[in-house]
Amino acid sequence: FFSSRRRHTRLRTVTGVQTCALPISVVFHSPALSKPWNDQSEFLHRESVVEPGFHELAISAAARERDCRYIWNAHSKSAVKGGVSEATLNAARDNAALDALPPLEAAVVSYARQLLRTNRVEQATFDALLNAKGPRWLVELTGFIGRYAALAGILNSFEVEAAPDAAPLPVPMPNAAGPRGAVAPPRATPRVTPITQRDQVAAEHCVFFDAVAEARGTVRGPYSILMHSPKFCMLVSEVSRYLRFRSLIKSDDCELCTIAAAREKDCPYIWGAHATLARQEGVSGETITAVANRDETASLLSLDRDVVDFVRQAHRGHRIPSALFDRLTEEQGTSWLVELTCLTGHYGLMAD
C-alpha cells in the first residue's frame, strides 16, 4: 500500500518489514526506544479526551505544516469520518483562510498553524479552545500536534512516502508564510495553573505523578503543564529519560541537539535548562554561541556542525539533504541517527 524511496528501502531490509513502510519500523532501529516512543501514540489514540474528529484534524494540520504526505494521507480521511467538514480539511490542505469554517474546527487548525510556524499561540486562539474544552483536552491536543510534528520529522528525514495514488498534498505548502517576525516574549505566568504538588491531582492519578517525580526529582517546567494529563506526562517523561540517559548519542551531542531544538522553537525554558548542561558536557562555547545566534556552522567541529545543521533542516525545511543524511549514517550508524531524529522531535514537542 505504501511505497518509500531509497533511504527507507534500506531500513526495511534491516527490520524485515517487507510489506509496508510504517513509521514505527524506522524507530525499531532503536529497539529500547521504540516501546516508550510508541506508548505515547497508543495513549493519545486510545485514552485521550480529545474527540477523534478533532485529534485527526490536529494531526492533519500538523502534517500540512510539516509537508508530510504520509501523515496527511493516513489521517485526513479519518478526520472527515470523525465529523470534520471537508471544507475545513481543504482549507488546512491548501493553507487557505479559516473565517467561514465551524469555529472550533477553525481554532484547531489555527492553533496548529501558529504553534508550528511561530512557536507561540495567540491569546484569543488559546482561550477559545481552553474555554470550550478545558486544560487536559488542550494539553492532549498540543500533544497530538507535537507528536505528529515529530513523526513527520522521522518520515521526512528517512523519506518514507505515501503511495503515488494517495490523497494529494501540495508540497511545498501553497501560500507559504513569509519570513518570521519577532517572537512574542514569554508571559510572566503560565496560561494554566502548573501542577507541581501531589495533592493537585486526583487520587487515581497519583501513581503517574509519583513516577514523574521519582524519575526527575520534581515536577516542574513542561511537566507541570503536561501533568494536566497525568498518564501522558509520565509517558513523555519515559521517552525523555531514555533519550537523555540511555541513548546511543553521547551526552555532549545530546545536549547540543537539545539546545539546537530549543533555539529553533524559541523556547527560553529548555534553552536555560540545557545550555549550562551543554557546557558542562564539553560542548564548546563557539558552538553554543553559533546556535544561540543562528550563525553559520562551517567553522565548527564536524559533528557539532552536522548535529546543528540536522536540527535546523528538520525544523526549517522539513527535509534532510542527502549528503548530510548519508554522512551521519556512515559515521554514526542508522540507530544513532534514528535516535537523533527522535530527540529533535521530542524536544520540539516539549517546547510546544
Side-chain angles (χ1 to χ4, degrees):
F1 183 74
F2 292 103
S3 67
S4 64
R5 289 183 282 170
R6 177 178 56 83
R7 292 178 186 168
H8 195 69
T9 300
R10 182 193 309 161
L11 297 181
R12 283 190 295 160
T13 301
V14 175
T15 62
V17 178
Q18 299 297 331
T19 56
C20 64
L22 298 174
I24 191 60
S25 69
V26 179
V27 186
F28 277 150
H29 281 268
S30 174
L33 173 59
S34 62
K35 183 182 185 304
W37 183 264
N38 194 55
D39 284 347
Q40 293 182 13
S41 284
E42 290 295 311
F43 169 82
L44 287 170
H45 285 283
R46 296 176 185 274
E47 300 181 49
S48 173
V49 297
V50 182
E51 302 86 347
F54 284 126
H55 80 232
E56 295 293 340
L57 175 58
I59 292 168
S60 300
R64 167 69 286 173
E65 295 304 308
R66 290 293 185 251
D67 287 336
C68 185
R69 293 187 182 97
Y70 186 110
I71 293 175
W72 178 268
N73 184 67
H75 291 274
S76 58
K77 294 177 183 177
S78 296
V80 174
K81 290 179 182 178
V84 174
S85 69
E86 290 197 19
T88 298
L89 263 294
N90 291 341
R93 180 195 63 204
D94 298 335
N95 191 25
L98 308 174
D99 300 344
L101 303 175
L104 277 180
E105 293 180 7
V108 169
V109 176
S110 183
Y111 189 89
R113 285 180 178 179
Q114 292 172 26
L115 193 58
L116 296 179
R117 293 181 191 182
T118 72
N119 304 324
R120 298 291 185 274
V121 175
E122 295 171 2
Q123 191 67 48
T125 303
F126 187 93
D127 288 345
L129 293 172
L130 180 67
N131 293 337
K133 296 294 186 177
R136 176 180 170 179
W137 189 97
L138 190 49
V139 164
E140 292 178 4
L141 183 81
T142 310
F144 273 109
I145 294 168
R147 170 71 178 173
Y148 277 87
L151 282 178
I154 295 171
L155 294 166
N156 290 347
S157 295
F158 286 83
E159 294 184 347
V160 182
E161 287 287 351
D165 60 350
L169 180 70
V171 175
M173 181 168 58
N175 310 309
R180 180 173 57 185
V183 177
R187 292 164 50 92
T189 57
R191 284 170 162 167
V192 298
T193 302
I195 296 176
T196 59
Q197 302 296 324
R198 196 172 191 266
D199 60 8
Q200 290 179 268
V201 301
E204 64 268 26
H205 294 150
C206 285
V207 62
F208 304 126
F209 184 96
D210 292 344
V212 175
E214 180 180 359
R216 309 192 62 79
T218 186
V219 177
R220 62 179 182 177
Y223 295 97
S224 69
I225 304 301
L226 288 168
M227 192 55 71
H228 282 277
S229 176
K231 185 174 180 179
F232 182 56
C233 182
M234 180 192 71
L235 295 172
V236 172
S237 176
E238 289 177 355
V239 170
S240 185
R241 181 166 55 173
Y242 175 86
L243 289 169
R244 289 195 63 203
F245 303 116
R246 298 172 56 201
S247 173
L248 298 171
I249 304 169
K250 293 181 180 178
S251 55
D252 55 343
D253 299 322
C254 179
E255 295 299 337
L256 175 57
C257 178
T258 301
I259 63 171
R263 172 70 282 182
E264 293 305 301
K265 296 296 289 183
D266 293 317
C267 185
Y269 187 98
I270 294 175
W271 179 271
H274 288 271
T276 299
L277 292 174
R279 291 187 184 92
Q280 291 173 352
E281 294 297 341
V283 179
S284 72
E286 179 189 5
T287 296
I288 294 171
T289 298
V291 174
N293 296 338
R294 293 193 168 99
D295 291 338
E296 295 296 325
T297 59
S299 66
L300 303 181
L301 296 174
S302 60
L303 186 53
D304 286 4
R305 176 202 64 214
D306 285 351
V307 168
V308 175
D309 286 350
F310 186 94
V311 175
R312 288 178 175 178
Q313 293 286 350
H315 282 281
R316 298 178 191 181
H318 313 148
R319 296 292 187 277
I320 305 300
S322 292
L324 175 58
F325 181 95
D326 292 343
R327 185 164 60 250
L328 285 170
T329 302
E330 291 165 6
E331 294 178 359
Q332 305 297 329
T334 297
S335 297
W336 185 97
L337 187 54
V338 166
E339 294 191 0
L340 185 77
T341 310
C342 290
L343 181 64
T344 302
H346 174 74
Y347 276 97
L349 182 153
M350 296 287 280
D352 290 340

